[in-house]
Amino acid sequence: MKKEEISIDFAGDVVTISGEKKTEEKTERKDYYRVERSFGSFSRKLHLPVEIQVDKATASFKDGVLEIRMPKSEAAKKKTRKISVK
């Protein structure tokens, strides 16, 4: 899959990651001709537990791994609280 085939969208507290892959493989030999096509699409919706700074979100795709970084908003950072372990 290529990074151009991936789409990341934010709407409220939901991030949607979707993509579509299309491949075609041809083999031409003296006595036969073969064409193999495959395609598929996916879509995942993730509900985020806290508010994020959408304008500071970044994504990278390297070696088949998609990494999305979404920093928390200042309001979400202030809501964090520590729970003591007994």
Side-chain angles (χ1 to χ4, degrees), residues 46-64:
L46 305 168
H47 290 275
L48 303 173
V50 295
E51 186 178 325
I52 63 162
Q53 299 176 19
V54 177
D55 56 332
K56 293 185 179 178
T58 60
S60 64
F61 187 73
K62 183 178 179 183
D63 298 329

Side-chain angles (χ1 to χ4, degrees), residues 24 26-35 37:
E24 184 174 302
K26 293 181 182 181
T27 305
E28 294 183 40
R29 302 284 168 106
K30 182 178 178 181
D31 51 345
Y32 71 92
Y33 177 77
R34 180 179 67 89
V35 177
R37 294 181 183 103

Side-chain angles (χ1 to χ4, degrees), residues 1-15:
M1 183 164 255
K2 298 175 186 173
K3 65 181 180 179
E4 294 82 19
E5 299 170 330
I6 299 173
S7 174
I8 304 167
D9 300 306
F10 291 98
D13 65 342
V14 178
V15 61

Side-chain angles (χ1 to χ4, degrees), residues 69-84:
R69 293 184 175 255
M70 300 171 280
K72 291 181 185 179
S73 68
E74 292 301 319
K77 287 180 184 178
K78 292 178 183 177
K79 290 181 184 177
T80 305
R81 51 183 196 158
K82 188 168 180 99
I83 299 174
S84 62

